[in-house]
Amino acid sequence: MSAHALYVTAAYAITGIVLAGLIGWILLDQRARRRELAALDAAGVRRRSDKAGTTKP
């Protein structure tokens, strides 16, 4: 294998590993945020945008 082909292969491999790591990190963070939102909802904390029960003027 030539030096150039080795360089290209290594670059693609490193890029794939980094992208897989970022995707994994995003998925884990999404799970954590969903758990936090569920805990807040269970505690009775509501979002400001949730105006249930109020009428608009």
Side-chain angles (χ1 to χ4, degrees):
M1 194 189 275
S2 69
H4 178 69
L6 184 62
Y7 172 79
V8 170
T9 303
Y12 274 108
I14 290 170
T15 301
I17 291 168
V18 169
L19 285 176
L22 287 172
I23 290 169
W25 180 22
I26 288 169
L27 292 175
L28 289 173
D29 191 54
Q30 178 188 25
R31 285 175 144 182
R33 299 296 79 78
R34 285 183 192 238
R35 279 194 305 267
E36 288 176 1
L37 284 173
L40 288 171
D41 283 341
V45 177
R46 298 288 176 236
R47 297 179 187 184
R48 284 183 289 185
S49 62
D50 186 16
K51 305 272 187 196
T54 61
T55 59
K56 291 186 179 181

